[in-house]
Amino acid sequence: MLTVNILILILYLYENFNANLQRVLEPDYIQGKRLLNKHIPNRKFVWSKDRLDQQNVFYWRARLKK
């Protein structure tokens, strides 16, 4: 049972990671023209409950250039 719960948690985290990458790739966000307007699908599995105003465009701009 514990293994199943761990697999479900990993699936949620993976889904959140991919959803976050998709939303930060929006050109208007990367250029600093607007803030994010979509939440990740599994918000209760992130530390700050996915507060859109806490996302840093400068961090993502540098991160995505790597």
Side-chain angles (χ1 to χ4, degrees), residues 17-60:
F17 175 79
N18 284 326
N20 194 51
L21 278 182
Q22 290 301 315
R23 69 184 184 166
V24 298
L25 286 173
E26 295 178 24
D28 285 344
Y29 174 74
I30 294 296
Q31 296 169 4
K33 294 180 182 176
R34 70 176 177 84
L35 297 176
L36 297 175
N37 60 359
K38 299 174 190 169
H39 289 283
I40 55 175
N42 304 297
R43 292 176 64 189
K44 70 180 184 176
F45 292 98
V46 294
W47 177 71
S48 63
K49 303 296 185 216
D50 191 39
R51 289 188 48 193
L52 297 177
D53 62 345
Q54 296 295 313
Q55 299 290 329
N56 187 321
V57 69
F58 302 109
Y59 166 81
W60 282 107

